[in-house]
PDB file of all heavy atoms in Angstrom:
ATOM      1  N   GLU A 431     140.265-292.509 -92.281  1.00 97.00           N
ATOM      2  CA  GLU A 431     140.452-291.766 -93.529  1.00 97.00           C
ATOM      3  C   GLU A 431     140.977-290.362 -93.253  1.00 97.00           C
ATOM      4  O   GLU A 431     141.863-289.861 -93.971  1.00 97.00           O
ATOM      5  CB  GLU A 431     139.120-291.691 -94.277  1.00 97.00           C
ATOM      6  CG  GLU A 431     139.154-290.885 -95.564  1.00 97.00           C
ATOM      7  CD  GLU A 431     140.000-291.513 -96.651  1.00 97.00           C
ATOM      8  OE1 GLU A 431     140.312-292.718 -96.553  1.00 97.00           O
ATOM      9  OE2 GLU A 431     140.356-290.792 -97.610  1.00 97.00           O
ATOM     10  N   ALA A 432     140.464-289.730 -92.195  1.00 97.00           N
ATOM     11  CA  ALA A 432     140.933-288.389 -91.828  1.00 97.00           C
ATOM     12  C   ALA A 432     142.405-288.422 -91.423  1.00 97.00           C
ATOM     13  O   ALA A 432     143.187-287.547 -91.811  1.00 97.00           O
ATOM     14  CB  ALA A 432     140.083-287.821 -90.701  1.00 97.00           C
ATOM     15  N   ASP A 433     142.794-289.424 -90.651  1.00 97.00           N
ATOM     16  CA  ASP A 433     144.188-289.539 -90.218  1.00 97.00           C
ATOM     17  C   ASP A 433     145.118-289.774 -91.403  1.00 97.00           C
ATOM     18  O   ASP A 433     146.265-289.297 -91.418  1.00 97.00           O
ATOM     19  CB  ASP A 433     144.345-290.660 -89.195  1.00 97.00           C
ATOM     20  CG  ASP A 433     143.848-290.266 -87.807  1.00 97.00           C
ATOM     21  OD1 ASP A 433     143.501-289.085 -87.615  1.00 97.00           O
ATOM     22  OD2 ASP A 433     143.813-291.143 -86.921  1.00 97.00           O
ATOM     23  N   THR A 434     144.651-290.509 -92.391  1.00 98.00           N
ATOM     24  CA  THR A 434     145.448-290.707 -93.608  1.00 98.00           C
ATOM     25  C   THR A 434     145.685-289.378 -94.304  1.00 98.00           C
ATOM     26  O   THR A 434     146.791-289.088 -94.778  1.00 98.00           O
ATOM     27  CB  THR A 434     144.744-291.686 -94.562  1.00 98.00           C
ATOM     28  OG1 THR A 434     144.654-292.966 -93.937  1.00 98.00           O
ATOM     29  CG2 THR A 434     145.512-291.824 -95.870  1.00 98.00           C
ATOM     30  N   LYS A 435     144.652-288.542 -94.348  1.00 97.00           N
ATOM     31  CA  LYS A 435     144.794-287.232 -94.978  1.00 97.00           C
ATOM     32  C   LYS A 435     145.747-286.336 -94.184  1.00 97.00           C
ATOM     33  O   LYS A 435     146.501-285.561 -94.770  1.00 97.00           O
ATOM     34  CB  LYS A 435     143.428-286.550 -95.111  1.00 97.00           C
ATOM     35  CG  LYS A 435     142.535-287.139 -96.199  1.00 97.00           C
ATOM     36  CD  LYS A 435     141.230-286.385 -96.291  1.00 97.00           C
ATOM     37  CE  LYS A 435     140.396-286.869 -97.475  1.00 97.00           C
ATOM     38  NZ  LYS A 435     141.025-286.521 -98.774  1.00 97.00           N
ATOM     39  N   VAL A 436     145.721-286.447 -92.855  1.00 98.00           N
ATOM     40  CA  VAL A 436     146.661-285.686 -92.029  1.00 98.00           C
ATOM     41  C   VAL A 436     148.092-286.149 -92.318  1.00 98.00           C
ATOM     42  O   VAL A 436     149.009-285.334 -92.479  1.00 98.00           O
ATOM     43  CB  VAL A 436     146.342-285.850 -90.531  1.00 98.00           C
ATOM     44  CG1 VAL A 436     147.435-285.214 -89.686  1.00 98.00           C
ATOM     45  CG2 VAL A 436     144.991-285.231 -90.197  1.00 98.00           C
ATOM     46  N   ARG A 437     148.273-287.468 -92.395  1.00 98.00           N
ATOM     47  CA  ARG A 437     149.615-288.028 -92.621  1.00 98.00           C
ATOM     48  C   ARG A 437     150.184-287.589 -93.965  1.00 98.00           C
ATOM     49  O   ARG A 437     151.382-287.329 -94.083  1.00 98.00           O
ATOM     50  CB  ARG A 437     149.555-289.551 -92.541  1.00 98.00           C
ATOM     51  CG  ARG A 437     150.910-290.241 -92.732  1.00 98.00           C
ATOM     52  CD  ARG A 437     150.814-291.735 -92.491  1.00 98.00           C
ATOM     53  NE  ARG A 437     149.892-292.379 -93.403  1.00 98.00           N
ATOM     54  CZ  ARG A 437     150.202-292.724 -94.663  1.00 98.00           C
ATOM     55  NH1 ARG A 437     151.397-292.478 -95.147  1.00 98.00           N
ATOM     56  NH2 ARG A 437     149.297-293.318 -95.426  1.00 98.00           N
ATOM     57  N   THR A 438     149.342-287.480 -94.970  1.00 98.00           N
ATOM     58  CA  THR A 438     149.825-287.122 -96.306  1.00 98.00           C
ATOM     59  C   THR A 438     149.676-285.634 -96.614  1.00 98.00           C
ATOM     60  O   THR A 438     149.945-285.210 -97.736  1.00 98.00           O
ATOM     61  CB  THR A 438     149.082-287.930 -97.382  1.00 98.00           C
ATOM     62  OG1 THR A 438     147.679-287.584 -97.366  1.00 98.00           O
ATOM     63  CG2 THR A 438     149.248-289.432 -97.148  1.00 98.00           C
ATOM     64  N   PHE A 439     149.236-284.850 -95.631  1.00 98.00           N
ATOM     65  CA  PHE A 439     148.966-283.433 -95.884  1.00 98.00           C
ATOM     66  C   PHE A 439     150.197-282.715 -96.445  1.00 98.00           C
ATOM     67  O   PHE A 439     150.094-281.946 -97.410  1.00 98.00           O
ATOM     68  CB  PHE A 439     148.509-282.740 -94.595  1.00 98.00           C
ATOM     69  CG  PHE A 439     148.372-281.246 -94.727  1.00 98.00           C
ATOM     70  CD1 PHE A 439     147.269-280.686 -95.340  1.00 98.00           C
ATOM     71  CD2 PHE A 439     149.371-280.395 -94.254  1.00 98.00           C
ATOM     72  CE1 PHE A 439     147.142-279.307 -95.487  1.00 98.00           C
ATOM     73  CE2 PHE A 439     149.250-279.015 -94.387  1.00 98.00           C
ATOM     74  CZ  PHE A 439     148.133-278.469 -95.013  1.00 98.00           C
ATOM     75  N   GLN A 440     151.357-282.933 -95.859  1.00 98.00           N
ATOM     76  CA  GLN A 440     152.542-282.215 -96.321  1.00 98.00           C
ATOM     77  C   GLN A 440     152.934-282.645 -97.730  1.00 98.00           C
ATOM     78  O   GLN A 440     153.257-281.806 -98.577  1.00 98.00           O
ATOM     79  CB  GLN A 440     153.689-282.418 -95.332  1.00 98.00           C
ATOM     80  CG  GLN A 440     153.411-281.803 -93.975  1.00 98.00           C
ATOM     81  CD  GLN A 440     154.628-281.755 -93.077  1.00 98.00           C
ATOM     82  OE1 GLN A 440     155.611-282.472 -93.269  1.00 98.00           O
ATOM     83  NE2 GLN A 440     154.574-280.913 -92.057  1.00 98.00           N
ATOM     84  N   ARG A 441     152.900-283.940 -97.977  1.00 98.00           N
ATOM     85  CA  ARG A 441     153.218-284.426 -99.320  1.00 98.00           C
ATOM     86  C   ARG A 441     152.219-283.894-100.345  1.00 98.00           C
ATOM     87  O   ARG A 441     152.597-283.434-101.430  1.00 98.00           O
ATOM     88  CB  ARG A 441     153.194-285.960 -99.325  1.00 98.00           C
ATOM     89  CG  ARG A 441     153.580-286.593-100.664  1.00 98.00           C
ATOM     90  CD  ARG A 441     153.344-288.090-100.619  1.00 98.00           C
ATOM     91  NE  ARG A 441     151.905-288.386-100.565  1.00 98.00           N
ATOM     92  CZ  ARG A 441     151.386-289.559-100.222  1.00 98.00           C
ATOM     93  NH1 ARG A 441     152.191-290.556 -99.849  1.00 98.00           N
ATOM     94  NH2 ARG A 441     150.082-289.745-100.217  1.00 98.00           N
ATOM     95  N   ASP A 442     150.925-283.937 -99.998  1.00 98.00           N
ATOM     96  CA  ASP A 442     149.888-283.457-100.913  1.00 98.00           C
ATOM     97  C   ASP A 442     149.998-281.952-101.126  1.00 98.00           C
ATOM     98  O   ASP A 442     149.834-281.453-102.247  1.00 98.00           O
ATOM     99  CB  ASP A 442     148.502-283.795-100.360  1.00 98.00           C
ATOM    100  CG  ASP A 442     148.250-285.303-100.276  1.00 98.00           C
ATOM    101  OD1 ASP A 442     148.978-286.065-100.943  1.00 98.00           O
ATOM    102  OD2 ASP A 442     147.351-285.713 -99.515  1.00 98.00           O
ATOM    103  N   GLY A 443     150.275-281.215-100.029  1.00 98.00           N
ATOM    104  CA  GLY A 443     150.414-279.767-100.148  1.00 98.00           C
ATOM    105  C   GLY A 443     151.600-279.379-101.023  1.00 98.00           C
ATOM    106  O   GLY A 443     151.538-278.409-101.786  1.00 98.00           O
ATOM    107  N   ALA A 444     152.678-280.135-100.907  1.00 98.00           N
ATOM    108  CA  ALA A 444     153.860-279.858-101.726  1.00 98.00           C
ATOM    109  C   ALA A 444     153.567-280.117-103.199  1.00 98.00           C
ATOM    110  O   ALA A 444     153.989-279.356-104.082  1.00 98.00           O
ATOM    111  CB  ALA A 444     155.031-280.716-101.262  1.00 98.00           C
ATOM    112  N   ALA A 445     152.825-281.187-103.482  1.00 98.00           N
ATOM    113  CA  ALA A 445     152.551-281.566-104.866  1.00 98.00           C
ATOM    114  C   ALA A 445     151.462-280.716-105.505  1.00 98.00           C
ATOM    115  O   ALA A 445     151.540-280.383-106.693  1.00 98.00           O
ATOM    116  CB  ALA A 445     152.149-283.040-104.916  1.00 98.00           C
ATOM    117  N   GLN A 446     150.448-280.343-104.725  1.00 98.00           N
ATOM    118  CA  GLN A 446     149.262-279.710-105.300  1.00 98.00           C
ATOM    119  C   GLN A 446     149.133-278.215-105.010  1.00 98.00           C
ATOM    120  O   GLN A 446     148.402-277.516-105.716  1.00 98.00           O
ATOM    121  CB  GLN A 446     148.009-280.412-104.771  1.00 98.00           C
ATOM    122  CG  GLN A 446     147.945-281.897-105.073  1.00 98.00           C
ATOM    123  CD  GLN A 446     146.827-282.593-104.324  1.00 98.00           C
ATOM    124  OE1 GLN A 446     145.774-281.988-104.061  1.00 98.00           O
ATOM    125  NE2 GLN A 446     147.015-283.848-103.960  1.00 98.00           N
ATOM    126  N   ALA A 447     149.823-277.735-103.977  1.00 98.00           N
ATOM    127  CA  ALA A 447     149.585-276.353-103.539  1.00 98.00           C
ATOM    128  C   ALA A 447     150.867-275.523-103.457  1.00 98.00           C
ATOM    129  O   ALA A 447     150.877-274.464-102.833  1.00 98.00           O
ATOM    130  CB  ALA A 447     148.877-276.348-102.188  1.00 98.00           C
ATOM    131  N   GLY A 448     151.950-275.986-104.068  1.00 98.00           N
ATOM    132  CA  GLY A 448     153.169-275.180-104.138  1.00 98.00           C
ATOM    133  C   GLY A 448     153.861-274.956-102.816  1.00 98.00           C
ATOM    134  O   GLY A 448     154.589-273.972-102.654  1.00 98.00           O
ATOM    135  N   ILE A 449     153.682-275.873-101.856  1.00 98.00           N
ATOM    136  CA  ILE A 449     154.302-275.683-100.540  1.00 98.00           C
ATOM    137  C   ILE A 449     155.714-276.257-100.562  1.00 98.00           C
ATOM    138  O   ILE A 449     155.895-277.474-100.574  1.00 98.00           O
ATOM    139  CB  ILE A 449     153.461-276.318 -99.422  1.00 98.00           C
ATOM    140  CG1 ILE A 449     152.058-275.691 -99.396  1.00 98.00           C
ATOM    141  CG2 ILE A 449     154.153-276.125 -98.072  1.00 98.00           C
ATOM    142  CD1 ILE A 449     151.122-276.308 -98.381  1.00 98.00           C
ATOM    143  N   PHE A 450     156.695-275.387-100.574  1.00 98.00           N
ATOM    144  CA  PHE A 450     158.105-275.779-100.552  1.00 98.00           C
ATOM    145  C   PHE A 450     158.557-276.158 -99.147  1.00 98.00           C
ATOM    146  O   PHE A 450     159.349-277.078 -98.967  1.00 98.00           O
ATOM    147  CB  PHE A 450     158.961-274.617-101.075  1.00 98.00           C
ATOM    148  CG  PHE A 450     160.395-274.660-100.647  1.00 98.00           C
ATOM    149  CD1 PHE A 450     161.272-275.608-101.161  1.00 98.00           C
ATOM    150  CD2 PHE A 450     160.891-273.759 -99.704  1.00 98.00           C
ATOM    151  CE1 PHE A 450     162.605-275.657-100.751  1.00 98.00           C
ATOM    152  CE2 PHE A 450     162.202-273.802 -99.288  1.00 98.00           C
ATOM    153  CZ  PHE A 450     163.073-274.756 -99.819  1.00 98.00           C
TER     154      PHE A 450
END
Side-chain angles (χ1 to χ4, degrees):
E431 177 67 17
D433 283 353
T434 296
K435 286 182 174 293
V436 172
R437 181 174 60 81
T438 64
F439 173 78
Q440 295 191 340
R441 183 188 69 196
D442 296 342
Q446 301 170 32
I449 301 176
F450 158 71

